[in-house]
Amino acid sequence: MKLLLICLAFTSLMAEHAPTPPKQDWSFKKPNGTFDRSALQRGFQVYKQVCSTCHSLKYISFRHLKALGLTEAEIKVLASQYQIKDGPNDSGDMFERPGRPSDYIPSPYANDKQARAANNGALPPDQSLIIKAREHGADYVYAILTGFKENPNLKLNPGQYYNEYFPGHAISMAPPLSEGLVIYNDGTKATIDQMARDVTTFLAWASEPEIEQRKRLGFKVLLYLLVMVGLFYATMRRIWSGIK
Ligand code: HEC
């Protein structure tokens, strides 16, 4: 009986536990690594055309996108394509106006309830911090996007799909990517793998937009410390040189 219970507990644990996502080679993971600007721009295109219909990105403003290599003018045009809820105006009503660079990217749903109602009860999580919020960050998001497999024989509810790397394997998101889903401006071929890599790179940037500056500062601090150590050493040698 005890053994049976242990077995049961173990199998349910196994079901909840998804395999560790394979490690990918991300340029931004290296100690002095940076984000590939073209990958960031392609990734934003994938987010905008595909993911943003369900997932918000609420901590990123249009102005932040300058880091992707967009010019002020491009950002202005981009922002103006969005309708932003503003107000209340003098008569107390909310109104919509074209976006400005200082606006944050608007969410696809008015609130979580509406988001759940549109997605079979599941909430598409905000993507601003998803890479930081999940164990295995970028590897996990990439693995989810490329991890939709034929269902071995897991019981799925309507609106659920089998995903190798989602905890429990039953995910309430239809495979969002398909070959050639977007047309990249730079001519890159939009395979599922390419789009998954690009959007993951973009989301990694979005969860730590200041990481490149931080790495650069870290490098400068190290250099400064090294120089100081050298100076102190030289001074010590001088001061003690007369003492035998
Ligand atoms: C049609 C709506 C829809 C679209 C489009 C969509 N998603 Fe999702 N996504 C969802 C929902 C709903 C969930 C929650 C699934 C669950 O909890 O079972 C989800 C979950 C996820 C998760 C897992 C989150 C977690 O909690 O661990 C990731 C990663 C993800 N989406 C990434 C993306 C990316 C990247 C795109 C664009 C390429 C995208 N999604 C497009 C609806 C969508």
Side-chain angles (χ1 to χ4, degrees), residues 173-208:
M173 167 171 74
L177 299 174
S178 55
E179 296 290 316
L181 186 60
V182 305
I183 295 169
Y184 282 134
N185 299 329
D186 65 2
T188 305
K189 197 156 174 254
T191 61
I192 292 183
D193 182 78
Q194 183 71 45
M195 288 181 283
R197 258 172 224 286
D198 290 341
V199 76
T200 304
T201 304
F202 170 70
L203 294 176
W205 167 80
S207 48
E208 273 184 302

Side-chain angles (χ1 to χ4, degrees), residues 46 50-51 53-55 119 122-125 127 130 134 140-141 144-145 166 170-173 176-177 199 203:
V46 175
V50 186
C51 322
T53 37
C54 302
H55 292 272
N119 287 282
L123 182 69
Q127 289 192 333
I130 189 129
R134 296 289 178 275
Y140 168 75
V141 170
I144 291 280
L145 292 174
F166 191 67
I171 191 168
S172 299
M173 167 171 74
L177 299 174
V199 76
L203 294 176

